[in-house]
Amino acid sequence: MALFQAEPAETGGKPAFSTGILPYQSIRELVRDREIDALVAIDEDQLQPASLDLRLGPTAYRVPASFLPGPDTTVMSKIEAIGMYPVDLRAGAVLERGCVYVVPLLEHVALGSRLSAFANPKSSTGRLDIFTRLITDGAVAFDRIEPGYRGPLYAEIAPKTFSVLVRQGSRLNQLRLRRGSPPTSGAALRRLHEQVPLVDTPDRVTLREDNLGLTLDLSGDPATGLVGFRAKRHADVIDIDRKGELDPRDFWDPIYAKPKDKPSRGIILNPDDFYILATKEGVTVPPDHAAEMVPYDTMVGEFRVHYAGFFDPGFGFHNAKGGGTKAVLEVRSHEVPFILEHEQIVGWLRYERLMAEPEKLYGRELGSHYQNQGLTLAKHFKPWR
C-alpha cells in the first residue's frame, strides 16, 4: 500500500529526545514532507521500526570496478566515463556473480542540515553474500549520506557467491536516519544492560567502550550437530523476490560440530568460501534502541562476520526481561585461511538510542522473518531438513 495517497494518518507523539535514530513514525513524516521521495510511491511495508527499505530502479549499469565519485562529481558522470553497458531490470535480469553493477534507486532524499543517514544491506541480502553499498553524488565514503544532502541514491551491487535475479522494485539495502549527534558511552551501555539484559548469557558479558562482544557457537545443534553452512561454489540463480522455494542442499553444504574430545573444536575458514554461522548469545535490542554490527574488526582477526549490520528495535525482545535471539553471521575470511574457535569473540554490536520508541517493533506484527531464528539461512530457502 502506497503512503499518503489520501489524507496522511496521524503519527505518534513528540519525540522523547532531540537527537538520535529516527523511529518508524518519524521516517513516515519525512516521506509525508517529501524529505524522502521516490519515482514510484513509497509503500507502507518499506518502513521498518528504525529504517527504510530502498528499491532498485529500472536500469542497472555494469561497471568494471567499484568506485566513489568524489567531491563535485556525480555518480552518473562516472558511469558515463567508465560504464560498460546498461541492463534493463523492468522485466527482471540476472546480475552475475563476480561482476559489479551500479543501480539508481527509486528513492531520493532532501535532508535537513541536522539529518544524516547511513545504509546497510538487508539481512537476506547479506545471507546471500551480495555485497551491496549505497553511493551518493559527491560521496567520499560508502553507505553514508551527509547532512543537507539533496539528490539521488545509488546501490553498488556485487554478487560474490550466487548470481541473482532482480527487477525494478527489488529491495537489497536499507536506510537508517540520525538527527544530530546523540551521545554514546560505555557507562550508558552498562546501564542499558542492567535494565534489559542485552544477551542471554549473564555470566559471559564482554563490553568494550560502547560495544557489546558476541561469541561464536560451534557446539552444534543438540539434535543434528549442525553448526553452520558453507556455500557451494557453483549453484543456480536465486530470484531475490521469491521466498521459501529453494532446496538449501542445492546451494549449501552443512558443517557439523567436532567431537568434544578433539583438541580443537574450531573450523578453518577458506578465503574463497562463504559461511553462515551463529552466535552463542541470544541478543536483545530494547524498543527504544537500535543496534548495528561492526562488520570487520582486525583486532579479532582477518575476517568479516556481518554484511547486513542493522538490528531493529524489538529484535529478540520478547518481554521486559529481554529473552534474546541468536545473531546469524555472514562470514568470509580475508586473504589467508583463519581458524575460528568455539566461544571466540567474532564481532561487536553497537547500540544507539532512538529519538522515541517506534510505533511498530521488529517481530510478528511486521512479519519479520528472523525474530526467533537459530542458525537460519536466507528466507529464499526451505527449512533445512
Side-chain angles (χ1 to χ4, degrees), residues 295-308:
Y296 179 46
D297 182 1
T298 56
M299 293 181 66
V300 297
E302 295 294 328
F303 60 92
R304 184 184 181 111
V305 298
H306 223 278
Y307 287 100

Side-chain angles (χ1 to χ4, degrees), residues 229-358:
F229 301 95
R230 181 175 55 243
K232 293 180 181 290
R233 296 197 180 188
H234 304 285
D236 202 354
V237 172
I238 295 176
D239 187 330
I240 204 72
D241 296 320
R242 303 187 71 161
K243 305 171 186 176
E245 297 184 1
L246 300 176
D247 185 342
R249 294 182 182 275
D250 293 336
F251 296 83
W252 302 93
D253 291 320
I255 303 173
Y256 294 102
K258 294 182 178 178
K260 293 183 178 180
D261 59 355
K262 290 286 185 181
S264 170
R265 300 176 68 187
I267 61 173
I268 299 177
L269 303 179
N270 184 328
D272 295 328
D273 290 338
F274 178 68
Y275 302 81
I276 296 293
L277 304 171
T279 61
K280 180 176 178 64
E281 300 83 5
V283 174
T284 293
V285 182
D288 57 352
H289 278 71
E292 182 180 11
M293 181 78 84
V294 179
Y296 179 46
D297 182 1
T298 56
M299 293 181 66
V300 297
E302 295 294 328
F303 60 92
R304 184 184 181 111
V305 298
H306 223 278
Y307 287 100
F310 287 168
F311 289 69
D312 267 330
F315 178 87
F317 184 83
H318 304 301
N319 53 60
K321 296 182 180 180
T325 294
K326 285 181 177 288
V328 169
L329 306 171
E330 301 125 13
V331 182
R332 180 180 290 278
S333 182
H334 291 284
E335 304 299 335
V336 296
F338 192 88
I339 297 177
L340 290 181
E341 299 283 0
H342 179 58
E343 296 186 344
Q344 175 179 342
I345 290 181
V346 289
W348 299 90
L349 202 59
R350 181 185 300 119
Y351 285 78
E352 194 167 340
R353 187 192 70 203
L354 270 67
M355 293 182 64
E357 187 173 319

Side-chain angles (χ1 to χ4, degrees), residues 123-166:
S123 294
S124 296
T125 305
R127 295 185 200 198
L128 295 178
D129 199 20
I130 307 171
F131 193 58
T132 304
R133 300 189 287 192
L134 185 78
I135 318 175
T136 64
D137 289 340
V140 296
F142 292 106
D143 286 335
R144 294 292 182 268
I145 305 179
E146 297 299 322
Y149 176 79
R150 294 171 174 264
L153 306 175
Y154 303 83
E156 176 193 280
I157 303 169
K160 304 283 285 182
T161 295
F162 309 113
S163 295
V164 293
L165 176 64
V166 301

Side-chain angles (χ1 to χ4, degrees), residues 81-202:
I82 68 170
M84 299 167 65
Y85 54 83
V87 179
D88 190 342
L89 302 183
R90 288 173 294 181
V94 173
L95 305 185
E96 299 285 349
R97 65 183 288 256
C99 298
V100 182
Y101 304 84
V102 175
V103 184
L105 299 174
L106 293 178
E107 288 74 28
H108 52 92
V109 299
L111 302 184
S113 61
R114 297 187 66 240
L115 197 62
S116 60
F118 51 111
N120 254 223
K122 289 175 61 65
S123 294
S124 296
T125 305
R127 295 185 200 198
L128 295 178
D129 199 20
I130 307 171
F131 193 58
T132 304
R133 300 189 287 192
L134 185 78
I135 318 175
T136 64
D137 289 340
V140 296
F142 292 106
D143 286 335
R144 294 292 182 268
I145 305 179
E146 297 299 322
Y149 176 79
R150 294 171 174 264
L153 306 175
Y154 303 83
E156 176 193 280
I157 303 169
K160 304 283 285 182
T161 295
F162 309 113
S163 295
V164 293
L165 176 64
V166 301
R167 53 189 60 78
Q168 177 178 325
S170 294
R171 306 174 189 181
L172 298 183
N173 58 347
Q174 54 193 339
L175 195 67
R176 185 169 279 179
L177 297 110
R178 179 190 293 118
R179 190 173 299 281
S181 300
T184 59
S185 69
L189 182 62
R190 286 190 293 273
R191 287 194 300 271
L192 181 64
H193 179 62
E194 290 170 358
Q195 295 166 2
V196 178
L198 302 179
V199 291
D200 62 359
T201 52

